[in-house]
Amino acid sequence: MSATCDVVVLLSGTGSNLQALIDSTRTGDSPVRIAAVISNRADAYGLQRARDAGIDTRSLDHKAFEGREAFDAALIERIDAFNPKLVVLAGFMRILSAGFVRHYQGRLLNIHPSLLPKYKGLHTHQRALEAGDTEHGCSVHFVTEELDGGPLVVQAVIPVELQDSPQSLAQRVHAQEHLIYPMAVRWFAEGRLSLSEQGALLDDTLLAASGHLIRT
Ligand code: GAR
C-alpha cells in the first residue's frame, strides 16, 4: 500500500515510545505520518518531543470533565479532527470507555510492559520479579473493552537476569518496546495488519494467541 497512513498518538508521560515512532518515520520510505499527539496532561514531556519534531499537539485535561464518557467524547472530537486511520496509545494512562473503544475498533493499538495476558495494570516489572519469572517482555495489541486486553499483535520476550531490579528490567523492556511498536504500526500502515472477528491478522493469516513472538 503506497498511501500515507495518518496516525494520532495519545500519551500521558515521557513519550519515549512516541520518540521511537517519530524516529522510525524518518527513514524516507515510511508510510506512517504522525498527524498529531494528544495528551491528557499539558506538562507531558511527550508533547515537547512532538513539538520538537514539528508535529501538531493538543492537550485535554480529564479533570475538567464530569466523568469518563464526557472526557472520551471530547477526546474523540479532538482525534477525529485529524482524520487518522490509526490511533496509537503510547503510555496513555487512562481507562477508556466502551464507547471510545468501539469508535476506534480495529484501528486502536496499545503497548503494555508485560507478556500479556500476564500482569495487566501497573507495576509489571516488580510483579514479574516477585513471581520469579524467568522471562518478561512487552506486548502490542489491538484494544478492546477489556483493560490491557484485546488480540495480541507482537510480543518481545527477554530473559530475566538473577541480578535484575524492577528498574533494570524496565530499561531492557523499554528498549524492546521501541523496536516492536514502530514495527506493528508500520505493518498496519502498510495494510498488512488488521483485526478480524477471530483475532489479529498479519498478511491475511491469523496470528497465534501470543501474537508474533520476538525473542532476544
Ligand atoms: C511504556 O512502558 C508503556 O508500555 C506503558 O507506559 C510506558 C510509557 O512510556 N503503558 C502502559 O503501562 C499501558 N497499560 P513512554 O512514555 O516512555 O513511552
Side-chain angles (χ1 to χ4, degrees):
M1 197 192 271
S2 56
T4 305
C5 175
D6 276 356
V7 173
V8 167
V9 178
L10 305 186
L11 53 75
S12 304
T14 314
S16 69
N17 277 288
L18 167 69
Q19 191 63 56
L21 208 54
I22 292 172
D23 295 345
S24 76
T25 63
R26 288 186 168 144
T27 56
D29 68 338
S30 173
V32 177
R33 193 183 81 96
I34 304 173
V37 175
I38 304 178
S39 179
N40 60 317
R41 299 182 59 110
D43 62 351
Y45 182 59
L47 289 177
Q48 187 57 45
R49 292 183 192 268
R51 285 191 287 267
D52 289 346
I55 298 168
D56 250 330
T57 63
R58 299 283 184 277
S59 65
L60 191 64
D61 184 358
H62 57 273
K63 294 192 289 299
F65 291 84
E66 276 207 18
R68 197 174 297 288
E69 272 72 23
F71 172 72
D72 282 6
L75 186 57
I76 286 175
E77 234 175 76
R78 299 291 192 290
I79 296 169
D80 288 354
F82 294 96
N83 203 18
K85 286 191 183 145
L86 175 67
V87 176
V88 166
L89 305 176
F92 188 60
M93 303 312 262
R94 296 269 315 159
I95 292 173
L96 299 165
S97 62
F100 184 96
V101 172
R102 272 199 299 272
H103 185 81
Y104 295 108
Q105 189 175 357
R107 53 195 187 106
L108 184 57
L109 289 177
N110 183 42
I111 190 154
H112 185 74
S114 76
L115 296 175
L116 289 171
K118 276 187 159 184
Y119 313 130
K120 298 176 178 184
L122 300 173
H123 311 299
T124 56
H125 312 299
Q126 173 98 33
R127 287 157 69 199
L129 282 177
E130 280 169 5
D133 291 356
T134 54
E135 290 187 326
H136 185 45
C138 48
S139 311
V140 175
H141 64 97
F142 280 105
V143 177
T144 60
E145 289 174 40
E146 189 196 347
L147 174 71
D148 295 327
L152 289 162
V153 174
V154 51
Q155 292 193 314
V157 184
I158 61 165
V160 177
E161 311 288 352
L162 271 179
Q163 68 279 10
D164 262 325
S165 63
Q167 293 73 24
S168 66
L169 204 47
Q171 213 172 16
R172 295 210 312 289
V173 169
H174 239 133
Q176 294 302 312
E177 292 187 30
H178 301 159
L179 297 177
I180 65 170
Y181 216 4
M183 187 169 90
V185 169
R186 186 175 178 130
W187 285 343
F188 187 94
E190 290 172 338
R192 297 176 56 194
L193 175 67
S194 62
L195 181 66
S196 74
E197 276 184 17
Q198 288 72 39
L201 296 177
L202 182 61
D203 297 329
D204 298 322
T205 305
L206 196 61
L207 282 164
S210 60
H212 180 81
L213 268 189
I214 294 177
R215 288 183 178 277
T216 52

